[in-house]
C-alpha cells in the first residue's frame, strides 16, 4: 500500500487539474485505511476536497466522466459525515 500511495501521489502531481486525480486521492485514502493510518486517511480526504475546490468549475462537466462535481462534493461530504476514518490508530502489538 505504501508504494501505491507514492504512485498515486505521482499521478496526482501530473494530472492535478483533471477530475481523474480525485480517484487517485480516494485510493490514497483507502490505502491509508488498509495500513490503519486513519489520521493520514483523514488528512488525505481533506486534500481531495481541497483539490476539487481548486479545479476549474467546468473541469467535471465532461459527460464521459462517471462522476460530476456535485457528486464528488456529496461523496466527500458523506464520507466525512459517516466518520469512516474516525477510528484511532491501532497498536496491534507483536
Amino acid at each position: 500500500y505504501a508504494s501505491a500511495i507514492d504512485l498515486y501521489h505521482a499521478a496526482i502531481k501530473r494530472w492535478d487539474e483533471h477530475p481523474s486525480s480525485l480517484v487517485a486521492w480516494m485510493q490514497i485514502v483507502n490505502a491509508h485505511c488498509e495500513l490503519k493510518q486513519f489520521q493520514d486517511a483523514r488528512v488525505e480526504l481533506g486534500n481531495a476536497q481541497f483539490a476539487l475546490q481548486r479545479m476549474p468549475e467546468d473541469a467535471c462537466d465532461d459527460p464521459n466522466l462517471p462522476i460530476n462535481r456535485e457528486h464528488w462534493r456529496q461523496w466527500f461530504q458523506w464520507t466525512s459525515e459517516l466518520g469512516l476514518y474516525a477510528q484511532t490508530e491501532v497498536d496491534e502489538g507483536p
Side-chain angles (χ1 to χ4, degrees):
Y1 292 103
S3 295
I5 291 169
D6 292 340
L7 292 170
Y8 281 122
H9 273 295
I12 289 167
K13 285 181 184 178
R14 185 167 181 184
W15 294 290
D16 67 331
E17 290 191 11
H18 192 276
S20 63
S21 67
L22 298 171
V23 175
W25 280 115
M26 296 321 304
Q27 292 300 329
I28 290 170
V29 170
N30 293 335
H32 280 299
C33 286
E34 288 295 327
L35 293 169
K36 301 195 183 330
Q37 298 169 341
F38 300 109
Q39 176 61 30
D40 292 332
R42 285 189 296 276
V43 168
E44 296 293 7
L45 178 62
N47 291 339
Q49 291 172 303
F50 183 67
L52 178 62
Q53 291 172 358
R54 284 191 354 248
M55 285 183 189
E57 199 57 40
D58 63 349
C60 298
D61 290 348
D62 182 344
N64 295 314
L65 293 173
I67 301 176
N68 65 31
R69 179 178 290 277
E70 186 56 28
H71 289 136
W72 276 115
R73 283 185 185 139
Q74 290 174 354
W75 199 85
F76 291 142
Q77 179 184 352
W78 295 334
T79 301
S80 295
E81 288 175 1
L82 287 172
L84 299 176
Y85 313 117
Q87 299 179 32
T88 58
E89 305 291 326
V90 176
D91 180 13
E92 295 186 13

